[in-house]
Amino acid sequence: MSVKPLEFSRKAKHTPESPISYFMEQALQNPHLVSLAAGLVDAPSLPAGPIAKAIADILADPTTAKAALQYGTTQGYLPLLQKIVNHVASLDGLTPGDLGVTPRDVLVTTGSQQLLYMLSELMIDAGDIVITESPSYFVYHSVLAGNGTRVMTVPMDEDGLIVTELETLLQRIERDGELHRVKLLYTVDYFQNPTGLTLSAKRREELMEVITRWASKQRILVLEDAAYRELRYEGDELPSLKSFDPHNRHVIYAGTFSKPCAPGLKTGYAVMPTELVEPMVRLKGNHDFGSNNLSQHVLNRLLETGAYAAHVLELRKVYREKRNTMLSALEEHFGDLPGVSWTHPRGGMFVWFTMPEEIATSPNSPFLKAAIKEGVLYIPGEFGYVSETGEKPRSEARLSYGDASLAMIREGVKRLRHAADAVMKASRQPVGV
Ligand SMILES: Cc1ncc(COP(=O)(O)O)c(C=O)c1O
């Protein structure tokens, strides 16, 4: 008997396949490939010991064992909410009171990814506008594509999002009569995924001045994705955008324990305007009525005992060395090649690498094919761009030093140079030879 094909929802049809899956597949199929593509964290430094101890301690006591193994509340484990609010405030050298927030303004989520998703469910109808940096975190673009969001972008430079360009964009949107459709501004303001760039102190102040000034016409929520904030290897701590919002009206601060602790715990959080909390908790009730409770109890204990803080200090050393290794390998292997440049991130896991314009880094490009042949993978930069016309920079790449060992980082960059040489040699050959 024949069966009719399934008809998927509009949302399913509009949700693109993750561009990363192809790269994951390549890495799995070819174990000799050095992956500078993966967004995975450094494996050897994952805090197995402290987590084993925290779990053992929790389970050894019948009261904490029962609490941790039972369902929790949708908003999150209250002692953890308290610690999160103190933690975020302390990163700014402030108290929760200075930030205008209490533990009741915190929501624990299943990774910060769930927060990004739920916030778009909460705020955005098809045709609404979200402003992002360009380039930006491509998994978030996929979330936005799924619900028919129009993405408008603001370029970046070495100091992060260019605030004067934001102002110009808002003026244009207003002239077009569409200001009421602008719901969110998304920024990964510390050591951005994918570029490694950071919003400067001056720009932070300017950005919040713009948002606050425009709020009488249109309240644009700032989604401050601080996923990499704690992985800082040099320079002073920069104030969060949240710290410029003392009445807790404009900024949703999205944090995660995935990068500074362990992604397997899959626990993130938001510190947000009070008026968002109840509707978000209702939505989350429909998603999962609460994130993994055991993970929350574990994190609560790691924060309480100081194990978390000690781990972050160690991790900074590990990643600082990896970053230095990647930067010196790039200097060694690409320093002599005109038209090649790369960012010098002060934290995080990513370097943004720019090839001369004539060398495309796109999927299916000769350069990517040559790189795979040489045994190295990167993420084509164009995944980070959204463009209504299809016009995008095509010679950039995201290089990650998160997962690869020091030796693999060196080897990967060397192979990348071999791939560049192969492509340049081929392009110099006369046609037909
Ligand atoms: C910028 C950014 N935001 C959010 C996330 C989501 O991480 P998680 O859901 O593990 O907290 C990631 C993960 O790579 C990221 O790079």
Side-chain angles (χ1 to χ4, degrees), residues 110-113 116 137 186 188 193 225 227-228 256 258-259 266:
T110 303
S112 53
Q113 191 63 37
L116 303 187
Y137 174 44
Y186 175 71
V188 184
N193 180 2
D225 184 340
Y228 298 90
T256 178
S258 288
K259 315 296 171 179
K266 201 61 195 171

Side-chain angles (χ1 to χ4, degrees), residues 77-273:
Y77 179 44
L78 186 57
L80 181 62
L81 302 182
Q82 282 160 342
K83 289 188 183 63
I84 287 172
V85 90
N86 290 336
H87 177 62
V88 172
S90 76
L91 290 172
D92 272 310
L94 299 173
T95 65
D98 300 327
L99 284 182
V101 296
T102 73
R104 288 286 163 209
D105 300 317
V106 181
L107 177 68
V108 171
T109 51
T110 303
S112 53
Q113 191 63 37
Q114 186 188 39
L115 188 264
L116 303 187
Y117 184 88
M118 284 196 333
L119 193 63
S120 62
E121 260 189 338
L122 185 75
M123 298 304 302
I124 298 164
D125 288 314
D128 283 347
I129 296 169
V130 171
I131 298 175
T132 72
E133 298 153 334
S134 185
S136 180
Y137 174 44
F138 48 81
V139 186
Y140 184 55
H141 288 161
S142 168
V143 170
L144 297 176
N147 61 1
T149 312
R150 287 157 65 201
V151 177
M152 297 201 174
T153 60
V154 178
M156 303 170 80
D157 63 15
E158 284 295 312
D159 287 331
L161 180 151
I162 304 175
V163 179
T164 49
E165 297 274 356
L166 170 67
E167 180 97 42
T168 309
L169 176 65
L170 290 175
Q171 285 162 357
R172 201 183 83 214
I173 296 173
E174 185 179 35
R175 273 199 308 277
D176 292 345
E178 298 203 295
L179 193 60
H180 64 287
R181 304 222 70 163
V182 185
K183 297 293 182 66
L184 291 171
L185 176 125
Y186 175 71
T187 172
V188 184
D189 56 341
Y190 297 91
F191 325 119
Q192 194 217 30
N193 180 2
T195 61
L197 295 171
T198 294
L199 190 65
S200 70
K202 185 160 168 281
R203 292 261 178 94
R204 285 166 190 272
E205 205 174 334
E206 290 167 358
L207 174 59
M208 288 312 296
E209 189 279 320
V210 170
I211 292 295
T212 318
R213 178 158 43 78
W214 280 76
S216 58
K217 294 185 196 168
Q218 175 65 5
R219 183 105 166 269
I220 302 167
L221 291 171
V222 176
L223 174 50
E224 178 177 27
D225 184 340
Y228 298 90
R229 181 180 192 185
E230 289 165 69
L231 301 180
R232 179 171 50 78
Y233 318 131
E234 64 182 62
D236 294 331
E237 180 62 75
L238 289 167
S240 64
L241 294 171
K242 186 87 205 129
S243 69
F244 294 93
D245 180 27
H247 302 296
N248 195 22
R249 284 192 189 128
H250 304 290
V251 180
I252 298 135
Y253 180 98
T256 178
F257 291 108
S258 288
K259 315 296 171 179
C261 190
L265 296 171
K266 201 61 195 171
T267 304
Y269 54 88
V271 182
M272 60 192 164

